[in-house]
Amino acid sequence: MVASLLEGNEAIAWGAVDAGCRFFAGYPITPATTILNTMLKLLPPRGGICLQGEDEIASMGYCLGASMAGLKTMTATSGPGISLYSEQTGFAVGSEIPIVIVDVQRLGPSTGSATKGADGDIQFLQWGTSGGLPVIVLAPVDVKDCYLLTRHAFNLAERYRCPVFIASNKEIGMTRESVNLAALKPPEVMARLQPSPGSTPFLPFDTSHGRKVPCFLPVGDTTLVRQTSSTHGPDGYITTDPDQIARNQKRLLHKLNDAVNRFTFYRRLQPAGASTLVITYGVTSRAARAVYERCRQQGAPIGLLVLKTLWPVPEKLICDTAAPYRRLVVVEMNQGLYRREIERLLPAHPVDFLGQMDGRLITPEQIEEVVRHG
Amino acid sequence: MDSLLNLDRPPVFCPGCSHTRVTRALDNALSLLKRKGHQVAIVSDIGCSGLFDTFFHTHALHGLHGRALTYAAGIKLARPDLTVIVTMGDGGLGIGGAHLLAACRRNLDITLLVLNNFNFGMTGGQYSVTTPTDALVGSGFLNRLEHPMDVGRVAVAAGAGYVSRCSSYRKDLAAELAAAIRHEGFALLDMWGVCTGRYTRRNRMGPKQIDEALGALEPLKGPVAANQRPEYGRHYRQAAQGLTDPAPLAVPLRFAALTRTRQEILILGSAGQRINTAGELLCLAGMTGGLQATQKNEYNITVLRGPSLSEIVLCPTAVGYTGITKPTVVLALSDEGVQRRRAVLRHLDETALIIRAADVDLPPNAARTTTIDFKALQIKGPDRALAALTVLAAKKTVVDGDMLTTAIELRFKKDVRQKALALVARVCSGLQ
């Protein structure tokens, strides 16, 4: 067996190039900078482009332009940069431009603490654009996930023509870890759906083929392509027709919300005799897993649900998993951002909560205390 | 050559607006250059200039206010053969100022057409970055307090290879546009025009006034001699040629593991002691013995000063939690490093091992302690961490000397490798 010692950030870069990413633009920011550094090493030798943007808004703009010209693109930042991405992210949502956006979260708000981890952005990633439409957010636990979920993120961005966020954390992105990339089983590389030949004229947002995602042709080929951030009809021109607008808004809502069961990633451990279920995600899952092992060894097992798809909320998975348990414990590196989703879905279940927002990892001992004593 | 105008969507500008003239001139320019629709991408900004893409049968992208140059750059880098034209008003110049400067400095082959009519037409005639100080606009007295920007001079200062300034009423406007598009590199054409919907209601501005105002300025007529240099995309591809594709460092499994339990190792030192590298070497050494590894580092943002800590977990099974609450080994190499984890050290019992530099004070604890006098051994600060790892390896608890040597050989090349191996050998001989 041959292993490598990689940061989570490096694993994301490798996942990206292996998924076919050939364009990256980003602005330096701790703790995401090593993604930019690694992409700069990996892309030019492959004929790809890696740019250091003059700011985060520009970095997103470069990516969206390149994506519309047919390249698979990625950008990476942390909370302050995600804030600046907001308007461009809305463009990618409403105008269906594939892009993978990595948020290596640090303690916020604002500039916060550059070198301290947190999971404080996970509602912001979903709701940080105007218009209220869904996005996809995947949350890695370790270096292995950084690689695999990035591979999935590109497939989802292509398949659903949407931005896909990877909600990493300084504690994963800047932590080195031994990993055997060759032993992982990534998904097949997927590309954007193209219109069948002869189906003219090409309308860039046409969904009359019955699918919820329009076919894609790149800016620059022989067929003319229109893209606009304005409210548009199937032809890519501005529309003021309320029925057409409503149909498009509903489609953008349902194309992701109705499909989440197809990309619900998770790890679930359900030993017999457990009455408490711990629900967590991200780096905190590692401490929760240690508690799971301890409880099992001590003869007082608990269930564990590690969510790796955070948005759209995998409601079926959460409800089906939680149903047999008497008590839920939600643990996260913030002050209760995802707890509200769990409580919304499971109003009859008592929920104990452990959150921490001080730059430190939540320890197994802290979780064990809540599991035992509430 | 045929017109590329979209006859289904004719220009919809206010009567008398100079944008209509520019639309026709752009079509004529593309005809002069014999461009077909699919060879051109028009990227339009926000405001009245943002309508331009709809008038043409070309590729089109209409995005956020001020960001048109960024999309254009992405498109041009992905599709170097496309003719990429950006239409932007004086509003976009202001909100997208950073992108304007970046585009001038970068020199991608993009043509920026500035439809400069000295105010925000669509939102009610507010002042923009080019509004004259004495103009009467929709922003009350505010424009009287600010100096208008000469975008041409800004572009020259920022390194644009082609900058031209002209009236939208110029008879040979199409030729002017064609020359800007033909330039290989970033080209900016600042076209002065009138906004009949807003600006000329309260200000005298027409072809005559524009000519007078332009006549008072130093002319900008295209190529800027001092700024000629290779086009960015071409330059990028040249610079990337011959770059090699690095692979992640492959760590072979070469030895049997020395431990069956989780080992938590804390390296407490200072910036300049190569703490981070020592942590990496320890991980690699452990991995050659089949252990799984994680490494977290902690240091001040001013990287050359202050404490530097590395937390390493080595484990025969998956590491799981990456934090360290009860270390099995501590390398205590500087006082400021130790200061950061005093509370942890106090609780250590006799199962823990501390390898301590003789000049470092420890809080009271029950751990087994080995002291190294680095000064007596003539080992300098940058070598402390590797020397301490050598002492740890000699005890054959977590890793041994063969593992450490293999890690050094994997991680370093040539001189650095030789120096590191020589240090290990020197420390080993000192221990005997």
Side-chain angles (χ1 to χ4, degrees), chain B residues 180-416:
Chain B
I181 294 167
R182 203 182 282 120
H183 175 77
E184 200 208 354
F186 183 69
L188 183 149
L189 180 54
D190 178 20
M191 289 174 289
W192 290 23
V194 301
C195 172
T196 49
R198 304 288 185 190
Y199 193 78
T200 55
R201 289 185 176 195
R202 290 202 283 172
N203 300 281
R204 274 181 66 82
M205 178 68 92
K208 186 162 162 277
Q209 287 77 17
I210 288 174
D211 284 342
E212 283 170 10
L214 287 173
L217 296 173
E218 191 182 332
L220 294 167
K221 290 186 165 176
V224 181
N227 292 342
Q228 297 310 306
R229 61 193 188 283
E231 192 270 338
Y232 183 86
R234 189 184 292 274
H235 206 182
Y236 194 107
R237 290 184 288 277
Q238 274 171 7
Q241 278 202 348
L243 291 178
T244 52
D245 180 2
L249 188 64
V251 186
L253 171 57
R254 203 167 278 175
F255 307 106
L258 295 177
T259 178
R260 289 181 181 181
T261 56
R262 174 180 165 115
Q263 299 291 322
E264 300 187 348
I265 302 104
L266 202 49
I267 310 181
L268 307 174
S270 291
Q273 289 183 334
R274 297 178 183 157
I275 301 298
N276 182 343
T277 306
E280 187 182 356
L281 284 173
L282 182 55
C283 288
L284 296 174
M287 287 164 69
T288 65
L291 299 177
Q292 303 199 38
T294 61
Q295 180 192 9
K296 275 153 53 85
N297 298 312
E298 184 179 323
Y299 45 84
N300 289 357
I301 337 175
T302 50
V303 289
L304 293 181
R305 197 188 287 277
S308 177
L309 284 66
S310 192
E311 297 176 301
I312 296 101
V313 180
L314 292 168
C315 195
T317 54
V319 168
Y321 180 61
T322 55
I324 291 185
T325 47
K326 193 167 180 291
T328 50
V329 176
V330 177
L331 309 184
L333 305 177
S334 84
D335 281 326
E336 58 186 349
V338 166
Q339 196 63 33
R340 281 271 172 104
R341 290 290 186 278
R342 283 189 84 79
V344 173
L345 296 190
R346 271 201 196 93
H347 292 106
L348 292 183
D349 58 25
E350 68 286 348
T351 60
L353 167 69
I354 300 180
I355 296 172
R356 156 189 172 260
D359 54 4
V360 169
D361 290 326
L362 295 178
N365 67 82
R368 293 167 289 136
T369 301
T370 295
T371 299
I372 318 173
D373 190 341
F374 286 111
K375 283 176 186 147
L377 290 166
Q378 294 187 312
I379 288 168
K380 297 201 164 66
D383 290 334
R384 275 193 178 201
L386 180 54
L389 279 188
T390 309
V391 173
L392 175 65
K395 294 181 182 294
K396 299 186 183 183
T397 51
V398 183
V399 295
D400 64 16
D402 289 340
M403 294 172 182
L404 182 59
T405 304
T406 306
I408 289 169
E409 286 168 350
L410 284 169
R411 177 67 178 77
F412 300 130
K413 292 191 181 106
K414 297 178 187 166
D415 289 358
V416 182

Side-chain angles (χ1 to χ4, degrees), chain A residues 3 50 171 176 221 226 286, chain B residues 53 79 236 251 295-296 320:
Chain A
C50 177
E171 292 289 349
R176 288 195 182 109
D221 274 1
R226 291 195 51 75
R286 305 178 70 134
Chain B
D53 62 284
R79 298 270 172 167
Y236 194 107
V251 186
Q295 180 192 9
K296 275 153 53 85

Side-chain angles (χ1 to χ4, degrees), chain A residues 236-256:
Chain A
Y237 288 102
I238 288 179
T239 183
T240 53
D241 174 356
D243 293 336
Q244 201 172 55
I245 293 170
R247 269 199 305 277
N248 197 45
Q249 293 276 344
K250 273 192 186 138
R251 181 177 64 77
L252 291 173
L253 182 73
H254 287 290
K255 81 167 178 178
L256 295 185

Side-chain angles (χ1 to χ4, degrees), chain A residues 75-108:
Chain A
T75 183
T77 188
S78 191
I82 290 291
S83 308
L84 291 173
Y85 283 3
S86 171
E87 195 185 5
Q88 300 274 34
T89 305
F91 183 14
V93 169
S95 302
E96 303 180 80
I97 309 175
I99 181 172
V100 174
I101 304 172
V102 185
D103 179 12
V104 188
Q105 295 171 89
R106 64 194 227 186
L107 190 78

Side-chain angles (χ1 to χ4, degrees), chain A residues 2-4 14 46 50-51 54 61-62 69 88 171 176-178 220-221 223 225-229 237 286 363, chain B residues 6 9 53 59-60 62 64 70-71 79 99 106 232 236 245-246 248-251 276 293-296 320-321:
Chain A
V2 174
S4 297
W14 279 102
R46 288 171 167 77
C50 177
L51 282 188
E54 59 271 25
Y62 296 138
Q88 300 274 34
E171 292 289 349
R176 288 195 182 109
E177 186 165 11
S178 51
D221 274 1
T223 303
V225 170
R226 291 195 51 75
Q227 178 56 287
T228 176
S229 55
Y237 288 102
R286 305 178 70 134
T363 65
Chain B
N6 180 356
R9 292 176 181 270
D53 62 284
H59 292 289
H62 170 73
L64 312 182
T70 68
Y71 312 125
R79 298 270 172 167
H99 315 313
R106 188 175 289 128
Y232 183 86
Y236 194 107
D245 180 2
L249 188 64
V251 186
N276 182 343
T294 61
Q295 180 192 9
K296 275 153 53 85
Y321 180 61

Side-chain angles (χ1 to χ4, degrees), chain A residues 123-244:
Chain A
Q123 287 281 351
F124 182 50
L125 293 178
Q126 164 56 69
W127 301 116
T129 61
S130 56
L133 288 166
V135 298
I136 297 174
V137 180
L138 307 179
V141 165
D142 52 22
V143 168
K144 197 171 61 180
D145 274 353
C146 284
Y147 181 85
L148 285 174
L149 290 181
T150 302
R151 294 287 302 262
H152 282 293
F154 273 91
N155 282 353
L156 294 171
E158 295 288 305
R159 183 168 176 179
Y160 295 103
R161 288 191 59 174
C162 64
V164 178
F165 287 100
I166 297 174
S168 185
N169 177 320
K170 179 264 165 187
E171 292 289 349
I172 300 168
M174 290 183 71
T175 297
R176 288 195 182 109
E177 186 165 11
S178 51
V179 62
N180 184 357
L181 290 183
L184 302 180
K185 293 192 175 60
E188 294 287 315
V189 171
M190 294 172 80
R192 294 165 206 182
L193 204 60
Q194 303 227 336
S196 45
S199 60
T200 50
F202 173 69
L203 297 177
F205 298 99
D206 177 36
T207 49
S208 61
H209 46 57
R211 287 179 290 261
K212 292 199 181 77
V213 184
C215 295
F216 180 91
L217 285 177
V219 166
D221 274 1
T222 47
T223 303
L224 296 184
V225 170
R226 291 195 51 75
Q227 178 56 287
T228 176
S229 55
S230 297
T231 306
H232 49 265
D235 56 5
Y237 288 102
I238 288 179
T239 183
T240 53
D241 174 356
D243 293 336
Q244 201 172 55

